[in-house]
Amino acid sequence: MAHFPPLNLPAIVAGFQLGPRVNIFLVHLIVGMAILEAASTSPIVNRFIPDYTTAEAGNPFVEGWYADPDTEIYDGLYWVYPTSSYAYDEQTYLDAFSSPDLINWTKHPNILTTANVSWATRAVWAPAPISRNGKYYLYFGANDIQEGEPEEGKIGGIGVAVADKPEGPYVDAIGKPLIGEYHNGAQPIDQDVFLDDVDGQAYIYYGGHSHANVAKLNEDMISIGTFDDGTQFKEITPENYVEGSQMIKRNGIYYLMWSEGGWTGPDYSVSYAMSDSPMGPFNQVAKILQQDSAVAKGSGHNGVIHVPNTDIWYIVYHRRPLSETDGNHRVLAYDRMYFNDNGTIEPVKMLVKDNFANGEMFDWKTYGGDWSVINQRLSVASSDIATAVLDTNFTDLVFDATVAITDGDGDAGLVFRATNLSIGMDGFEGYYVGISPAGSVNLLKPDAGTWTLLSEANLEVSSRTEYQVRVTAYGSQINVFIDDLTHPKVTAADGSFVSGATGVGVRNADARFGSVSVAKP
C-alpha cells in the first residue's frame, strides 16, 4: 500500500452547499482533515498529535489476514510488525507497515522470510522489533517445537534477525535459535523485547504452553545474559497466562500483558499485571480486551503504541470478523487504551468508526452498485438499489453518518439491524432510513422483499448537500435525527428485528457517505 497524496480540501467540499442544515459538525470535520494533512508531511516531533478514540479511518487499519502485532517508532514513523495469518506452513514470511499518522499505512513486504533463516524449516511468526546501537533487531518464533523435541535434536524456538533499516531486509543474526529449549515449562515462542530506561538493560519476555519467562539480553542483543544468581531464565507466570507476552512501562510501573484462551476461539483475550520491578512479581489485575458480540471475536495478542511525549496509548491487536469461521482469518485493529488515576487500565472498548481518511473501505461488504472512496467519502454511483455494510451485529445502538445525494430522485440513508444481506437490498430484513430530494425522510422496514413504511416526515433535501443522520434504537423504540441531534425527525416503535449488521444504502440514487460511527448507547 502506498502513501496517499496530500488532502485536497477544496475538492472534498466542492459541489456541496453549506446550507442551514449543515451545522458545526461539518466545520469540525474540515478542520480535522486539515490537521491530518499537516500530519502527513511533518516529522513526529513537529506534527500534530494523533489523539484518536480508535482507528478513525476504520478497523482493520490495513488490508489482509494478519495477527500477533508488535510495534515500534522509528525515524518519525509508527511501525507495526505482524504475523502473516495463514495456515501454519504458509507463514513463511513477515511483512511490516509504517505510518506517519496512524491513518495512512505503507506496506513493506517480505522483510524476513524463511529463506533468510537457515534453521527455519516451517513457519515464522509473532515478530518483536527493537533498535539498539544503530541496528534494527527482529525477534521471531519458528518451527513450533514441542516439549521434548529439542532433546530429540529438533531445532526451533525464538530467533533473532538484524537489519540496517526498519523495513529490512532482516537476516538471521546467529544462525541458530536464541532460545531453543524449554525452560520452566515455557515453550520458546511469543516474545517481547523491552529496553528499560532506568539502566539500559534489555529484557526478553516470552512463553507459550501457559508459562512465561523473563531473561536478560546482553548489550549485543543477540545473546542471553545471566542474572546475579547465575541463572538465565526466571519464571514470572501470572494467573491465567497462556501466551503473547508484552511489556510496557508508564510512570515507573511495569505492565506485563498477555493473552488468555485459545487463539482460534472467540474467548481469546488480553489481561495484565503491574509491578514495581521488571522482574515482577506479576499478579493479574484484570482482563482488559475481549470479544464483543457486536463488533469482533478472538481479540488478543497485542502490542502497544505510546505517542511520544504524551499520555496517549493505543492497544494494537488482532481479532476475527464476526462472520469468519477460519481460525487464521484474523485482521489488525487498534483502539485507545486509557489509564485510571491509580495506574490501572480501563477495559478497552472496540469502537466502530470510519471517516475514510485513508481512501479505503477495508471492512465494507457491498451488495449491488458501484462503490468506491472518493475524497474521503464512501460513494456509490448509477445504482437502482445497493447497500454497503459492516460486519457488525448491534442490537441497541447509536448510529451516525453523513449522507448526501449526488444524483437521482430516490433516497439514501442508513441500514441497521440487517440480516439476510446476501439476498440484496431488495430482499434483506431489518430497517432503513432514507432521505430524499422529493422532500421527505422515511423510516422503513424491509422484510424479504416487502417494504413497510413505519414513519415519515417532510424534509427539505438539496442535492449534493451533506446531512448528518443519526439513528438511535433502544429495544423497539427507533428515533431518527437529521442535523438536529436533540429533536428526532421521525420516531417509531417496532420490535420485528432486534439485531444485525449496520451500513448504508441507496434506492434509485447516487450518494456519498462519511464519518460513520456505530456505538452502544
Side-chain angles (χ1 to χ4, degrees):
M1 187 193 313
H3 287 306
F4 290 89
L7 303 178
N8 185 348
L9 296 181
I12 292 173
V13 296
F16 285 87
Q17 301 172 6
L18 302 183
R21 287 187 172 86
V22 181
N23 57 19
I24 195 67
F25 172 84
L26 185 54
V27 176
H28 285 166
L29 182 64
I30 295 171
V31 171
M33 292 174 184
I35 291 173
L36 278 176
E37 180 173 9
S40 67
T41 58
S42 304
I44 266 185
V45 293
N46 294 323
R47 65 175 170 80
F48 111 104
I49 301 300
D51 188 359
Y52 312 136
T53 58
T54 183
E56 302 287 342
N59 278 320
F61 60 87
V62 296
E63 186 175 22
W65 302 125
Y66 290 98
D68 313 328
D70 203 356
T71 67
E72 265 296 344
I73 299 176
Y74 295 140
D75 303 325
L77 296 175
Y78 299 95
W79 287 79
V80 174
Y81 296 81
T83 298
S84 297
S85 187
Y86 298 98
Y88 185 76
D89 286 321
E90 296 176 21
Q91 295 175 189
T92 58
Y93 64 93
L94 296 173
D95 297 334
F97 297 87
S98 64
S99 173
D101 53 18
L102 303 182
I103 297 295
N104 299 294
W105 294 86
T106 296
K107 181 178 178 178
H108 306 273
N110 298 320
I111 64 167
L112 177 70
T113 72
T114 53
N116 302 122
V117 184
S118 61
W119 53 271
T121 58
R122 299 186 67 194
V124 290
W125 79 99
I130 200 165
S131 177
R132 194 171 201 183
N133 301 326
K135 294 289 187 179
Y136 298 89
Y137 297 92
L138 197 65
Y139 302 79
F140 57 92
N143 297 354
D144 195 29
I145 60 169
Q146 303 299 306
E147 196 159 12
E149 290 184 344
E151 290 77 11
E152 298 172 357
K154 295 184 179 180
I155 299 174
I158 296 170
V160 54
V162 63
D164 294 323
K165 299 181 294 184
E167 65 271 29
Y170 287 84
V171 296
D172 188 8
I174 58 176
K176 61 181 180 179
L178 174 68
I179 305 174
E181 298 177 342
Y182 279 64
H183 301 278
N184 306 315
Q187 185 187 26
I189 64 167
D190 287 4
Q191 65 293 321
D192 183 45
V193 176
F194 171 75
L195 196 61
D196 199 347
D197 58 1
V198 171
D199 55 7
Q201 177 62 56
Y203 296 91
I204 184 167
Y205 298 84
Y206 77 93
H209 291 179
S210 299
H211 289 275
N213 285 339
V214 62
K216 286 184 176 182
L217 286 171
N218 290 323
E219 179 74 19
D220 62 9
M221 302 298 286
I222 60 172
S223 59
I224 299 296
T226 302
F227 294 108
D228 291 342
D229 63 2
T231 62
Q232 290 188 300
F233 300 92
K234 300 286 189 183
E235 182 165 12
I236 54 168
T237 307
E239 183 182 4
N240 297 325
Y241 176 93
V242 173
E243 60 190 19
S245 300
Q246 175 73 197
M247 172 59 69
I248 64 172
K249 186 178 182 181
R250 176 182 180 271
N251 294 341
I253 300 297
Y254 298 85
Y255 294 79
L256 179 67
M257 310 174 82
W258 66 89
S259 294
E260 301 179 0
W263 69 270
T264 59
D267 61 337
Y268 206 51
S269 54
V270 174
S271 291
Y272 78 102
M274 302 166 63
S275 179
D276 294 328
S277 166
M279 302 295 296
F282 294 107
N283 298 312
Q284 185 186 44
V285 175
K287 183 179 293 187
I288 57 166
L289 178 69
Q290 56 190 314
Q291 74 165 351
D292 183 333
S293 61
V295 180
K297 55 190 176 182
S299 306
H301 202 127
N302 71 291
V304 173
I305 289 175
H306 176 215
V307 178
N309 304 313
T310 74
D311 199 28
I312 298 172
W313 300 76
Y314 298 97
I315 185 169
V316 186
Y317 59 97
H318 73 240
R319 66 194 198 188
R320 191 170 295 106
L322 293 177
S323 63
E324 289 293 338
T325 56
D326 188 324
N328 289 304
H329 284 182
R330 297 171 288 178
V331 297
L332 299 184
Y334 71 82
D335 282 285
R336 187 69 170 263
M337 189 169 73
Y338 298 96
F339 291 82
N340 297 308
D341 290 342
N342 64 358
T344 57
I345 304 173
E346 295 183 9
V348 174
K349 295 180 180 179
M350 294 192 292
L351 300 183
V352 177
K353 291 187 176 184
D354 200 340
N355 63 11
F356 307 103
N358 60 356
E360 302 287 359
M361 47 184 294
F362 293 140
D363 198 36
W364 294 82
K365 182 174 288 188
T366 62
Y367 302 92
D370 182 12
W371 295 87
S372 61
V373 177
I374 302 173
N375 295 325
Q376 301 189 10
R377 291 295 183 272
L378 180 60
S379 303
V380 58
S382 303
S383 181
D384 295 332
I385 297 178
T387 56
V389 297
L390 294 165
D391 195 349
T392 54
N393 188 38
F394 280 88
T395 51
D396 292 350
L397 57 78
V398 179
F399 184 5
D400 284 282
T402 62
V403 181
I405 296 174
T406 56
D407 194 19
D409 57 4
D411 55 35
L414 310 187
V415 173
F416 57 103
R417 292 181 177 174
T419 58
N420 295 327
L421 285 155
S422 60
I423 299 173
M425 177 72 165
D426 200 41
F428 80 94
E429 299 174 350
Y431 299 98
Y432 170 77
V433 57
I435 60 173
S436 170
S440 65
V441 52
N442 302 299
L443 175 60
L444 300 109
K445 179 176 68 174
D447 187 355
T450 300
W451 290 65
T452 302
L453 180 65
L454 298 179
S455 184
E456 64 178 334
N458 294 328
L459 178 69
E460 182 180 346
V461 177
S462 300
S463 180
R464 307 186 70 83
T465 299
E466 198 161 66
Y467 298 84
Q468 185 181 5
V469 179
R470 171 175 289 179
V471 172
T472 63
Y474 312 109
S476 62
Q477 184 62 41
I478 302 171
N479 298 319
V480 178
F481 304 79
I482 310 294
D483 287 339
D484 178 358
L485 302 184
T486 303
H487 304 97
K489 195 68 177 178
V490 296
T491 64
D494 187 271
S496 301
F497 307 113
V498 297
S499 66
T502 47
V504 296
V506 296
R507 302 187 303 169
N508 301 307
D510 298 352
R512 297 179 183 176
F513 306 89
S515 299
V516 173
S517 173
V518 191
K520 296 178 180 179

